[in-house]
Amino acid sequence: MPLPRFTEARIESADLADVVPRELRADLLVLLVDDRPVLVIVVEAQLSDDGDKSYAWPAYVAGARARYRCPACLLVVTPDAGLAARLARPIVLGPGDGRLTPFVIGPQGVPVVTDIPAAKERPELAVLSAMAHGQTGYGIDVATAALAASAGVVDEERKALYLDLVLASLEESTRRVVEGLMMRNYEYQSEFARTYFQRGREEGFEKGIEKGIEKGIEKGIEKGIEKGIEKGALEPVVHLFERRLARPLSTDERDRLAERLHVEGANRLADRALDMSPEALAAWLVGKNGP
């Protein structure tokens, strides 16, 4: 077995108690029993790519295998199709055949449940279907089936959670349609959703207001500075034109000059005042003989 390139071989402590984290807590552990444990399924929900998991997950599986003295495996659930493909790659533990290959369920692994009678028979699958496909073209259909199935759940806390999960899994436009069909101004019912989804909605609303105020102030300051600069530049130009014409400018002439100042700039207008004859300058100010 070829070894990786190295420059030194050390003898280190063989006590591994502090190497493996003292508390390994998976998202869910399912134990299959037939008089005795026959399989441990360690379930992990993954929303984003976390490189540390490839080091922790083998410890989860090894710990579960040692505790129940039966085969163990890892099942990862993710709503991201690209992430599902990456997480399905084997985790190589070292030389030889040591590796852990997770079982991964991504959106493609969850069936599209749109039939309401079938959804009512398996409400959990219907909810998973809405979570996996709620932002696709099936959004309204899977949400309708899942909500109908959730309404028949006896456990009120579980029913509230299912309703919340379905609505939170939809695109904004789809959610508005579904809410319009079933209710108005829906408030999340489960403690889980109130803690996470509602807080996210409130924080998003607050951030939107803050951002709007901030942008408004910035725009106002920029506009004020711009107007101030233009006004400050206008008076010397007006003075120059009045000197050349030997008379005060009318209100219409000042407005025309202000418009041209915004387009041409003070230097260009000063050149006009000095290069053009008083008669041509007067005609230009009322919009004749040139732009």
Side-chain angles (χ1 to χ4, degrees):
M1 174 63 66
L3 298 177
R5 183 180 178 278
F6 66 97
T7 58
E8 181 183 2
R10 298 177 182 172
I11 302 299
E12 298 283 354
S13 171
D15 182 1
L16 300 177
D18 292 331
V19 175
V20 178
R22 296 180 181 179
E23 182 179 356
L24 297 175
R25 186 177 296 278
D27 292 328
L28 181 70
L29 189 145
V30 180
L31 180 64
L32 304 185
V33 181
D34 183 16
D35 292 331
R36 60 180 181 80
V38 294
L39 179 64
V40 185
I41 306 172
V42 178
V43 184
E44 281 281 284
Q46 201 68 12
L47 301 179
S48 60
D49 206 345
D50 184 350
D52 291 338
K53 292 295 187 178
S54 64
Y55 297 98
W57 283 341
Y60 288 13
V61 174
R65 180 175 179 274
R67 175 187 296 177
Y68 295 102
R69 296 185 175 275
C70 69
C73 65
L74 172 66
L75 173 63
V76 182
V77 182
T78 177
D80 187 318
L83 183 58
R86 293 195 297 275
L87 294 177
R89 298 169 185 161
I91 300 172
V92 178
L93 304 181
D97 295 329
R99 66 182 58 205
L100 171 67
T101 303
F103 295 100
V104 180
I105 297 180
Q108 300 92 330
V110 180
V112 178
V113 179
T114 58
D115 181 69
I116 292 179
K120 288 182 176 180
E121 290 181 6
R122 304 178 69 183
E124 287 76 20
L125 182 61
V127 172
L128 282 176
S129 177
M131 295 174 70
H133 307 291
Q135 298 195 20
T136 69
Y138 296 104
I140 292 179
D141 294 333
V142 294
T144 302
L147 290 172
S150 301
V153 174
V154 177
D155 186 327
E156 291 297 326
E157 184 175 345
R158 196 150 52 95
K159 179 194 298 185
L161 177 60
Y162 288 175
L163 291 172
D164 292 344
L165 288 173
V166 171
L167 290 176
S169 301
L170 304 176
E171 287 184 338
E172 184 64 29
S173 58
T174 306
R175 180 162 59 247
R176 285 199 298 267
V177 172
V178 173
E179 288 176 354
L181 292 173
M182 59 178 290
M183 62 195 79
R184 293 288 181 184
N185 300 320
Y186 180 80
E187 293 295 331
Y188 290 112
Q189 302 299 309
S190 66
E191 186 63 32
F192 172 83
R194 281 198 298 269
T195 301
Y196 294 99
F197 303 133
Q198 192 69 15
R199 180 191 301 164
R201 177 187 288 178
E202 290 169 359
E203 288 178 355
F205 183 68
E206 290 174 3
K207 284 188 180 295
I209 292 176
E210 290 173 6
K211 201 70 176 174
I213 292 173
E214 181 183 321
K215 286 291 184 185
I217 291 173
E218 288 178 3
K219 290 279 186 187
I221 291 173
E222 289 173 6
K223 201 69 176 176
I225 291 172
E226 181 182 321
K227 288 291 185 184
I229 291 172
E230 287 183 3
K231 188 172 183 179
L234 178 62
E235 292 308 318
V237 175
V238 169
H239 179 72
L240 180 58
F241 270 67
E242 289 179 340
R243 285 288 302 273
R244 290 284 290 148
L245 296 172
R247 64 173 175 78
L249 297 183
S250 67
T251 302
D252 289 342
E253 289 173 334
R254 289 180 66 96
D255 291 343
R256 162 79 168 169
L257 204 55
E259 290 175 4
R260 299 316 303 171
L261 174 66
H262 183 70
V263 175
E264 300 184 27
N267 291 337
R268 174 65 177 148
L269 291 180
D271 289 341
R272 282 187 183 278
L274 296 172
D275 296 340
M276 299 172 71
S277 67
E279 294 78 13
L281 201 58
W284 178 82
L285 273 173
V286 294
K288 297 178 181 179
N289 300 327

